[in-house]
Amino acid sequence: MTQTITVIRGDGIGPEIMDATLHVLDSMNLGLSYEFADAGIVALEKHGELLPAATMESIRRTRIALKSPLTTPVGEGFSSINVELRKRFDLYANVRPAKSFPNTKSRFASGVDLVTVRENTEGAYIGEGQSVSEDGETAMLTQKVTRRGSERIVRYAFELARRTGRKKVTVVHKANILKSTSGLFLKTARLVAQEYPDIECNEMIVDNCCMQLVMRPEQFDVIVTTNLFGDIISDLCAGLVGGLGLAPGANIGSDAAIFEAVHGTAPDIAGQGKANPCALLLAAAQMLDHLGKCEEAERLRRAIVQTLEEKDSLTPDLGGTGNTMSFAQAIARRV
Ligand code: NAI
């Protein structure tokens, strides 16, 4: 049976890594068909809006999107379309695996295999109630955390641990200082943890967690945390295992899921064929898992690892002399 997915080619290096990813997926004969949709700057130029209704309808229909990065202006201009998509589809779980890969510029060539589960719809990150006083001297924002939001993300983390044979969930918080918001998250997490006696649960304050991740990342299995902490921690984890070019992420809700690379549009290398397509390919593997095509997902991951081991056509960020498409072709040959 054909499975239709919405494909958003994105900005900057987006189209290059998407072409490379679709080349590999096509070589696997997965029975996927693509519905191309626009979002971000491309959509603004073509349709006069950043998130056209047709794109929303496509995701609503297919319930699955593979998305390249989209530009968000820093400090001014329009708000993030990524955040908007997460809000509109209530994609509450942001799932970011970090695993050691061979032949990467990593401090940890082995031993790291963890997943960050980040709450994706609440907290300071969504920028609710942002304002700056007229004299420009004071800035404000609201940080809202709910019991419902905390409960469903912590439950998601424990269910993920159970489903994937992981043994431990670490709840990361700052409840010593942020007693209301982080406090509610932690209290709720403790209650949910009681329902999963088969999974070990520990707690860690976010600053200590960052140090522990750098010193002894092998102690972590699943990390569950609030939105802003998860944003930072998951990039830290990407750094442990060789950088953003290898870090995938899934945004999962009850009615839709969007799979993407953790990195952004990389304007400094856009259009040069230098971008590493692995992060989006690994996100595609997460998508295949989500679609129940777990064997195919593993095949794809193995082909990526083998290509890295054999240093075939690697992109410059991995010390190679290949380009985005030649790297993808090398992966497709092994898949
Ligand atoms: P970035 O992730 O685009 O780039 C950071 C550094 O990593 C750059 O040196 C870049 O060349 C390198 N890099 C990133 N991806 C790479 C890849 N696949 N292969 C090789 N090198 C890679 O972060 P930056 O510069 O902070 O953000 C640029 C734009 O991307 C901004 O507009 C930002 O808002 C947006 N962004 C979008 C995201 C999304 O759509 N999910 C996520 C993060 C940022």
Side-chain angles (χ1 to χ4, degrees):
M1 210 182 72
T2 304
Q3 168 78 49
T4 305
I5 61 169
T6 301
V7 172
I8 299 174
R9 288 161 60 79
D11 305 320
I13 59 169
E16 302 162 56
I17 58 171
M18 187 58 83
D19 287 348
T21 299
L22 297 186
H23 173 78
V24 178
L25 292 180
D26 286 343
S27 75
M28 295 177 74
N29 296 318
L30 297 162
L32 295 178
S33 80
Y34 312 126
E35 217 171 88
F36 289 92
D38 295 318
I41 289 179
V42 173
L44 189 65
E45 285 165 4
K46 274 203 307 239
H47 314 284
E49 49 184 341
L50 289 157
L51 191 50
T55 303
M56 292 294 292
E57 269 159 39
S58 175
I59 300 174
R60 220 169 269 133
R61 203 171 35 246
T62 64
R63 304 180 65 183
I64 303 283
L66 186 61
K67 186 185 90 44
S68 273
L70 303 172
T71 303
T72 308
V74 175
E76 54 187 20
F78 60 83
S79 307
S80 165
I81 301 305
N82 301 305
V83 174
E84 191 58 31
L85 280 167
R86 292 169 192 168
K87 255 195 240 170
R88 295 239 207 137
F89 287 104
D90 195 24
L91 305 173
Y92 67 90
N94 189 295
V95 183
R96 294 181 168 184
K99 195 171 174 359
S100 301
F101 286 107
N103 290 326
T104 59
K105 287 182 188 162
S106 159
R107 294 195 182 267
F108 296 94
S110 66
V112 181
D113 182 6
L114 61 87
V115 183
T116 306
V117 177
R118 157 189 173 193
E119 204 293 320
N120 220 12
T121 59
E122 301 189 335
Y125 187 92
I126 63 166
E128 212 170 38
Q130 292 194 83
S131 66
V132 180
S133 63
E134 265 178 30
D135 61 7
E137 293 296 316
T138 310
M140 305 273 286
L141 107 104
T142 308
Q143 186 176 159
K144 186 172 81 182
V145 169
T146 67
R147 187 182 301 284
R148 172 179 175 268
S150 304
E151 189 178 326
R152 68 178 177 172
I153 194 65
V154 176
R155 198 175 295 289
Y156 186 95
F158 276 97
E159 289 292 333
L160 179 141
R162 238 183 214 170
R163 198 173 61 243
T164 56
R166 291 181 178 271
K167 304 274 182 279
K168 182 163 106 179
V169 172
T170 303
V171 180
V172 176
H173 64 91
K174 188 78 187 174
N176 51 331
I177 305 295
L178 305 174
K179 292 183 197 291
S180 57
T181 48
S182 229
L184 178 58
F185 179 76
L186 179 61
K187 259 186 237 155
T188 310
R190 284 176 180 161
L191 286 177
V192 175
Q194 286 174 13
E195 296 173 33
Y196 297 86
D198 50 320
I199 310 283
E200 185 189 340
C201 178
N202 67 341
E203 299 167 7
M204 209 173 271
I205 293 174
V206 63
D207 34 353
N208 178 33
C209 176
C210 290
M211 185 196 68
Q212 296 286 340
L213 274 166
V214 173
M215 307 271 297
R216 276 198 318 120
E218 67 283 355
Q219 69 182 287
F220 294 94
D221 199 349
V222 176
I223 291 173
V224 65
T225 190
T226 44
N227 205 340
L228 185 56
F229 295 160
D231 182 49
I232 297 164
I233 283 178
S234 56
D235 267 30
L236 191 163
C237 293
L240 295 177
V241 297
L244 287 171
L246 292 156
N251 300 281
I252 314 258
S254 308
D255 300 321
I258 299 181
F259 299 85
E260 62 183 348
V262 166
H263 63 71
T265 56
D268 52 336
I269 57 166
Q272 300 171 31
K274 287 183 182 168
N276 179 350
C278 277
L280 191 59
L281 275 164
L282 290 165
Q286 281 184 287
M287 178 182 79
L288 295 179
D289 276 332
H290 186 80
L291 292 171
K293 295 177 186 287
C294 300
E295 266 179 40
E296 290 85 346
E298 260 322 291
R299 246 173 76 204
L300 176 52
R301 289 189 193 100
R302 271 201 306 272
I304 293 170
V305 170
Q306 218 185 337
T307 311
L308 289 168
E309 272 168 357
E310 293 167 20
K311 295 190 184 176
D312 187 356
S313 311
L314 306 189
T315 41
D317 60 310
L318 298 172
T321 53
N323 60 48
T324 309
M325 194 42 101
S326 69
F327 191 8
Q329 285 162 345
I331 294 167
R333 283 197 292 277
R334 291 167 173 84
V335 90

